[in-house]
Each structure stands twice: as C-alpha cells, then as structure tokens.
Amino acid sequence: MEKIAIVGGGIIGLTLASYLDPKKFELTLFDDGAGQATKASAGIISPWLSKRRNQRWYHLAKDGAAFFPKLIQDFQLDETIYQQCGTLLLQPAETLSELASLAEKRRLTAPEIGTIQLLDAETVAKKIPS
Ligand SMILES: Cc1cc2nc3c(=O)[nH]c(=O)nc-3n(C[C@H](O)[C@H](O)[C@H](O)COP(=O)(O)OP(=O)(O)OC[C@H]3O[C@@H](n4cnc5c(N)ncnc54)[C@H](O)[C@@H]3O)c2cc1C
C-alpha cells in the first residue's frame, strides 16, 4: 500500500487526511503540537471583497470559500461548524458603490457571495442596534 505522510494537523492537513481513502493509502499525520494558524483563526470566511491585487491569492481564497459547503455535506457537519450568516462591510459612503460594483463583478465567478445589498446608516443601526 502506498504510504503518505502529511506534516501539519491544521485545517489543511486534517482536510487532506479526511479525503484520502485509508483503504488505498497508509496515512501518517505528523504534528509537533505547536498548533499555529488554525488555532488562532477567527473563523470568518469572506474573501470576495478583498482589494488585494494578488490574483492567485484571490482565486485560492475564493475556491476555499466555495469548498466549505461541500466539506460540510461530505462529512455531515452541522451549523456549529459552518453557518452562512452574511457579511456586513462598513465603509465611508463615497467608496461603497465602488465596492458594490466589485462585488457584483466577482459574483459572476463566485455565486456563493449571495445577495448584495447597499444599506444606509439607518438600516445598519436597525440590524445592529448596539
Ligand atoms: C490570528 C489569525 C486569525 C485568522 N483568522 C482567519 C479568519 O477569520 N478566516 C480565515 O479564513 N482565515 C483566518 N486566518 C488564516 C487561517 O487560520 C489559515 O490560513 C489556516 O488556518 C492555515 O491552515 P494550515 O493548516 O495551513 O496551517 P496551521 O493551522 O498553521 O497548521 C500547521 C500545523 O503544522 C504544525 N507544524 C508546523 N511545523 C511543523 C513541523 N516542522 N513538524 C510537525 N508539525 C508542524 C503546527 O503545529 C500546526 O498544527 C487567521 C490566521 C491567524 C493567525
């Protein structure tokens, strides 16, 4: 049987290990116990409105976000693991429409963005009274 070693038991190493068929591969996962980014992560998955110019980063992050519903389905996880609850982006009024256009453009290749709404200050205050 082919042997595979995965170094690192963060979200990447564990996801990879979960998808490899143990009937086909002898799998060993090594982790030095330090626990790095996954341990610290805030758990927010919303890469679509990033203005980073690095297209490779954007495609990696976009595809990662699109993969989550599949991960949830494949391992029958519930909403304590992943929940689509929306993203509220606060910006000065003059940059909001530019951002909305970017979102509309990106939704063409990332339909998981969902509905895009421009909210005024009053509506935001109603949604988040605090
Ligand atoms: C403070 C913070 C907040 C973040 N918030 C978000 C967020 O809200 N949303 C988001 O999408 N992303 C967020 N990120 C980024 C996200 O957490 C990382 O992209 C992701 O967790 C990386 O996963 P990984 O498995 O590649 O790495 P890691 O989780 O770092 O896993 C690497 C593992 O390898 C082990 N290791 C390292 N070196 C060795 C070695 N030599 N031998 C054996 N084991 C080793 C470590 O112990 C660790 O467990 C955040 C990151 C940080 C630091």
Side-chain angles (χ1 to χ4, degrees):
M1 193 185 282
E2 194 174 345
K3 291 182 179 177
I4 295 183
I6 297 175
V7 181
I11 183 76
I12 299 297
L14 287 177
T15 302
L16 176 60
S18 303
Y19 276 100
L20 286 170
D21 185 349
K23 292 189 206 97
K24 290 187 188 156
F25 304 105
E26 190 184 319
L27 191 66
T28 310
L29 190 140
F30 296 92
D31 194 286
D32 64 4
Q36 292 171 341
T38 303
K39 192 176 166 189
S41 165
I44 301 161
I45 300 170
S46 183
W48 306 288
L49 294 183
S50 165
K51 285 187 158 181
R52 283 193 214 186
R53 291 186 183 183
N54 185 332
Q55 285 300 307
R56 283 190 185 173
W57 177 87
Y58 175 69
H59 284 286
L60 178 69
K62 171 179 85 69
D63 292 348
F67 175 69
F68 256 82
K70 176 173 165 46
L71 185 72
I72 299 308
Q73 201 174 18
D74 287 351
F75 294 99
Q76 290 160 18
L77 305 173
D78 64 25
E79 64 179 28
T80 58
I81 301 292
Y82 174 71
Q83 193 181 14
Q84 279 185 289
C85 55
T87 303
L88 196 58
L89 229 102
L90 304 177
Q91 290 276 317
E94 56 274 15
T95 53
L96 266 182
S97 57
E98 185 194 325
L99 208 60
S101 307
L102 178 68
E104 295 287 357
K105 192 175 151 209
R106 287 192 167 163
R107 191 169 53 176
L108 298 174
T109 54
E112 49 284 343
I113 286 180
T115 316
I116 300 156
Q117 281 178 288
L118 271 174
L119 306 177
D120 58 23
E122 198 185 329
T123 315
V124 174
K126 274 189 200 141
K127 284 183 183 285
I128 313 175
S130 59

